[in-house]
Amino acid sequence: MDKTHGKDVDAFIDALDHPQLAVIRALRALLLAVDPAIRDEVKWNAPSFRSRGHFATMQLRRPDVVRLILHLGTQKRSLPVGAIADPDGLLTWLAPDRALLEFRDAAELEARQAAVVALIRQWMALLP
């Protein structure tokens, strides 16, 4: 089943009791708009995004921030240093194959939208 704009993700988000619901919805919309190949589904108890493979998953554990983990799915490989240009310093590297973006409110996400889209496009270009 094609899960782009998936009803399962809609239902999951609609059922969330999270103070950052506006950020969650806006981040999902932004990610799905980056490329028509992006699909979403609920994986790891959060919205997760894929094209050729999973590459980004929201982390919704904290009430004060929405985190987006950029990863290489099941691929066990490291990205070369400098593979992602991040002139705004938005990424926090967790490991050579994972990085984190954080958003504390919808205004912050909106202000960083162009930079986030650029980061997502770069990340997707490195997917196998």
Side-chain angles (χ1 to χ4, degrees):
M1 175 181 163
D2 183 0
K3 295 184 179 178
T4 301
H5 311 291
K7 291 182 182 178
D8 60 333
V9 180
D10 290 333
F12 176 84
I13 291 172
D14 289 344
L16 280 176
D17 180 20
H18 196 288
Q20 299 292 338
L21 211 47
V23 177
I24 294 165
R25 291 183 194 281
L27 182 55
R28 178 185 183 217
L30 183 145
L31 286 164
L32 291 173
V34 167
D35 188 299
I38 296 176
R39 306 288 186 255
D40 65 345
E41 62 187 83
V42 176
K43 190 168 184 161
W44 301 297
N45 201 33
S48 187
F49 302 85
R50 62 181 167 80
S51 58
R52 294 181 299 273
H54 284 271
F55 68 89
T57 303
M58 287 188 199
Q59 186 187 79
L60 308 176
R61 295 181 193 136
R62 293 180 43 183
D64 61 328
V65 66
V66 173
R67 291 178 161 176
L68 183 68
I69 309 295
L70 300 177
H71 53 80
L72 299 175
T74 59
Q75 297 293 316
K76 298 296 180 198
R77 65 184 182 96
S78 298
L79 294 178
V81 173
I84 304 290
D86 181 18
D88 297 314
L90 300 182
L91 293 175
T92 300
W93 287 90
L94 304 172
D97 65 340
R98 282 189 316 268
L100 166 76
L101 290 164
E102 291 186 316
F103 306 99
R104 298 195 182 283
D105 56 44
E108 180 181 23
L109 176 59
E110 185 176 337
R112 295 178 170 178
Q113 181 173 341
V116 171
V117 168
L119 290 169
I120 297 300
R121 286 189 175 138
Q122 290 179 78
W123 197 274
M124 288 179 66
L126 296 170
L127 294 173

